[in-house]
């Protein structure tokens, strides 16, 4: 399984763009990159997933460079409600039932 | 559509007591997972099940047993609870790695 490394914590202010980078140097050819968000006392929820280049949805954007050894989750114009823990996961989508390892994640604190 | 349902939501045990945490999903997912989350920490994988009839150890399996009763249900058993097992336990299910995982609302377990 590809090991991921993220910053432990980040601080931001309302209205700013936040970029959280995840390193996954030993990512394999069939690995996808997935990001989850977790609020206190809740289970994580899916934010976005991608394989290469850029993926955008109504919540975030995911930037993946050509070598795929890192990825960046971009949250546009954050609000107080974006304060949460963000997890980066890497895994082979073709291996059914592989372990889903979350790691420590990045705690994002948004202030007014 | 209930998603992933965990029971109970809260439980207090005395050291040495046993109990089973129940998890059921109604999304016809193949893979199911049990995690624990200690205060201020990320999720750690206890056990997972790729499909009905199979289970595998995760990162922290000691002190736990699991049963994949059928495709819907995946239970976690503590045979002799210890204070170190005080935590919030989350169950999750997943169809494939290129889809999102869904989490239950968590079980807050205290062992005294």
């Amino acid at each position: 399984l590809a090991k991921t490394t993220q910053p432990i914590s980040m601080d931001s202010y309302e209205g700013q763009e936040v970029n959280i980078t995840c390193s996954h140097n030993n990512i394999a050819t069939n690995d996808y990159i997935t990001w989850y968000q977790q609020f206190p006392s809740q289970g994580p929820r899916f934010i976005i997933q991608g394989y290469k280049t850029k993926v955008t949805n109504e919540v975030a954007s995911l930037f993946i460079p050509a070598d795929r050894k890192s990825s960046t989750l971009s949250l546009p114009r954050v609000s107080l409600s974006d304060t949460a823990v963000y997890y980066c996961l890497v895994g082979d989508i073709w291996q059914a039932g592989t372990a889903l390892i979350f790691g420590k994640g990045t705690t994002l604190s948004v202030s007014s | 559509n209930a998603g992933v349902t965990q029971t109970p939501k809260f439980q207090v045990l005395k050291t040495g007591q046993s109990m089973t945490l129940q998890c059921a999903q109604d999304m016809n997912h193949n893979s199911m997972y049990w995690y624990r989350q200690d205060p201020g920490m990320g999720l750690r994988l206890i056990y997972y099940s790729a499909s009905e009839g199979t289970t595998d150890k995760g990162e922290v399996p000691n002190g736990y047993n699991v049963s994949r009763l059928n495709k819907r249900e995946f239970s976690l058993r503590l045979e002799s609870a210890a204070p170190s097992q005080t935590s919030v336990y989350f169950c999750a299910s997943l169809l494939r790695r290129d889809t999102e995982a869904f989490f239950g609302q968590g079980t807050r377990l205290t062992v005294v």
Side-chain angles (χ1 to χ4, degrees):
Chain A
L1 293 173
K3 179 178 170 59
T4 61
T5 303
Q6 305 174 231
I8 295 297
S9 63
M10 295 182 69
D11 296 314
S12 183
Y13 290 97
E14 284 189 292
Q16 290 188 332
E17 178 184 73
V18 171
N19 295 309
I20 305 174
T21 297
C22 178
S23 297
H24 27 80
N25 290 320
N26 60 340
I27 189 169
T29 302
N30 289 336
D31 284 348
Y32 267 61
I33 300 155
T34 312
W35 285 81
Y36 285 83
Q37 175 191 56
Q38 185 183 26
F39 297 116
S41 302
Q42 296 183 26
R45 66 174 189 176
F46 173 90
I47 301 176
I48 197 165
Q49 183 180 72
Y51 183 79
K52 61 181 180 180
T53 62
K54 177 183 174 182
V55 180
T56 297
N57 61 24
E58 64 278 5
V59 176
S61 294
L62 178 60
F63 298 92
I64 306 169
D67 66 5
R68 303 199 328 122
K69 293 184 182 299
S70 67
S71 58
T72 299
L73 174 72
S74 181
L75 304 172
R77 297 181 300 280
V78 295
S79 65
L80 296 176
S81 62
D82 291 315
T83 294
V85 180
Y86 293 83
Y87 298 94
C88 166
L89 283 72
V90 174
D92 186 343
I93 64 165
W94 302 111
Q95 287 190 8
T98 55
L100 206 59
I101 304 296
F102 274 76
K104 294 182 173 61
T106 297
T107 299
L108 173 64
S109 299
V110 181
S111 303
S112 57
Chain B
N1 189 347
V4 179
T5 303
Q6 291 183 233
T7 55
K9 290 185 175 57
F10 301 93
Q11 183 72 47
V12 178
L13 289 179
K14 293 182 179 178
T15 298
Q17 286 186 319
S18 62
M19 81 160 294
T20 300
L21 281 64
Q22 306 287 353
C23 176
Q25 52 93 7
D26 60 3
M27 296 171 284
N28 202 35
H29 285 175
N30 298 316
S31 303
M32 297 185 74
Y33 304 81
W34 274 107
Y35 295 89
R36 61 175 291 173
Q37 186 169 37
D38 300 329
M41 303 287 287
L43 285 90
R44 291 186 290 171
L45 180 64
I46 305 172
Y47 271 93
Y48 66 102
S49 170
S51 60
E52 183 179 352
T54 68
T55 60
D56 284 286
K57 295 179 180 179
E59 302 169 284
V60 289
N62 292 344
Y64 305 94
N65 286 301
V66 290
S67 295
R68 183 74 182 267
L69 305 170
N70 47 56
K71 192 169 187 179
R72 290 186 65 248
E73 299 171 289
F74 188 37
S75 62
L76 178 72
R77 183 162 179 82
L78 287 71
E79 291 291 352
S80 179
S84 60
Q85 294 178 305
T86 293
S87 190
V88 179
Y89 291 83
F90 288 102
C91 175
S93 72
L94 178 71
L95 181 61
R96 300 186 310 270
R97 285 301 292 263
D98 61 340
T99 60
E100 61 180 286
F102 289 86
F103 282 77
Q105 73 273 47
T107 296
R108 189 172 297 274
L109 175 67
T110 302
V111 183
V112 298

